[in-house]
Amino acid sequence: MDLLKMNTEQMMDPDEDEYVAPQITQFIVVRFGEEQYGIDIKYVDNIVRMQHITRVPKVSDHIKGVINLRGEVVPVMSIRLKMNLEEDVETKATRIIILKLEQHCNIGILVDEVKEVVNLEESQIERVSYEAKDDKSNFIYGIGKYDGGLISLLDLNTVIVEKEN
């Protein structure tokens, strides 16, 4: 009996290191063509079906225009065009993801399809470092390993920011 009491006290010893749960981040997995990309869910405000986008003159090619979302005018951009990929093709699966970034107003991005929400631990994310001159790769901050596949994790602040030429 004393042995049982001693073992219980040892397990509850406050000086012992406590178990620390791994840091888990949720990502919405979206598709551009055949590639899968992850968007940190903390930036996602809303996901809406494709709707009429009003063109705006004299803006960058990757800015598709604006939409009216519950009385708020929201700019919509094509990440495909921003990353120098082929033009967006609108299908029934096409969605506009409304992002809420700290230093910017809400902005919508076009995606071919919203696939799922995944939970990734820090150990499942490989950080990626690139040469500063390689603009396209700066859009990705890491690669997530999930269910036997790879998901490129978008650095939204880099994607959204307009570069001065």
Side-chain angles (χ1 to χ4, degrees), residues 36-131:
Q36 292 192 116
Y37 292 87
I39 298 173
D40 191 329
I41 203 164
K42 73 181 178 186
Y43 297 117
V44 176
D45 185 55
N46 203 344
I47 300 173
V48 296
R49 291 188 183 279
M50 192 60 190
Q51 55 185 274
H52 175 71
I53 298 174
T54 303
R55 306 269 314 144
V56 177
K58 297 186 179 182
V59 294
S60 301
D61 289 340
H62 63 272
I63 302 295
K64 301 301 274 183
V66 295
I67 61 171
N68 182 348
L69 186 65
R70 294 184 294 280
E72 180 183 357
V73 176
V74 178
V76 176
M77 75 180 294
S78 166
I79 290 185
R80 279 175 168 259
L81 295 178
K82 180 87 180 222
M83 293 194 302
N84 294 321
L85 301 173
E86 63 277 356
E87 179 75 40
D88 294 281
V89 178
E90 201 176 307
T91 67
K92 287 184 177 185
T94 302
R95 297 289 184 265
I96 301 172
I97 297 182
I98 308 300
L99 302 173
K100 183 172 277 193
L101 300 173
E102 295 156 7
Q103 65 273 33
H104 304 284
C105 62
N106 285 1
I107 186 163
I109 59 170
L110 289 174
V111 300
D112 292 353
E113 178 184 11
V114 174
K115 298 198 49 105
E116 61 185 321
V117 175
V118 299
N119 295 320
L120 295 179
E121 294 180 12
E122 277 300 312
S123 64
Q124 294 174 288
I125 298 173
E126 292 284 329
R127 300 289 175 196
V128 180
S129 60
Y130 293 103
E131 295 293 320

